[in-house]
Amino acid sequence: MIRKAFVMHVFGDCHEEYKRRHDEIWPEIIEMLKEYGAHDYSIFLDPANSRLFAYLVIEDEERWSKTAETEICQKWWAYMKDVMETNEDNSPVSLELKEVFYLK
């Protein structure tokens, strides 16, 4: 299993909307994430700077990278682009973090 963490940015006036959309996350997204080997996926918000911290465990990097190619992922990104910073393809602007410590 591979632990991954990354940061993203939600627009300052969209904190509640971002949470609402995740509270009502589409079952197809959950199904796709699990199909592509995601486990223990959490997203945390620092409201002081609108920074999102995401953490998940994946089974395989190559398999995980293919999530971006799925129709449901593309649809989710398009749905989320008005509440967070995104790239031209609607994917979230994200910075992967390097693990420097782990206590098991």
Side-chain angles (χ1 to χ4, degrees):
M1 298 295 222
I2 302 162
R3 293 180 306 279
K4 295 184 76 64
F6 51 96
V7 292
M8 301 172 290
H9 185 264
V10 62
F11 299 134
D13 60 346
C14 295
H15 295 184
E16 291 302 317
E17 180 61 17
Y18 183 90
K19 182 177 182 334
R20 185 192 67 75
R21 292 182 189 189
H22 282 79
D23 287 346
E24 300 171 1
I25 196 165
W26 306 334
E28 299 89 348
I29 287 289
I30 299 295
E31 185 179 309
M32 180 274 294
L33 291 170
K34 290 180 178 182
E35 179 182 335
Y36 284 82
H39 304 272
D40 300 320
Y41 198 163
S42 299
I43 302 173
F44 300 86
L45 169 65
D46 178 352
N49 63 16
S50 299
R51 180 90 30 156
L52 298 165
F53 168 77
Y55 170 84
L56 74 154
V57 177
I58 61 169
E59 296 171 4
D60 177 86
E61 283 283 357
E62 184 177 345
R63 187 168 154 208
W64 172 249
S65 70
K66 294 182 188 307
T67 60
E69 301 168 12
T70 65
E71 184 178 333
I72 193 65
C73 185
Q74 296 286 324
K75 187 176 174 183
W76 181 258
W77 286 350
Y79 176 58
M80 296 300 291
K81 73 180 181 179
D82 65 325
V83 298
M84 63 188 306
E85 289 183 3
T86 58
N87 297 300
E88 286 191 22
D89 67 353
N90 294 333
S91 65
V93 172
S94 65
L95 173 65
E96 190 165 338
L97 302 175
K98 180 180 178 181
E99 184 176 289
V100 295
F101 175 77
Y102 175 65
L103 174 66
K104 186 171 182 175

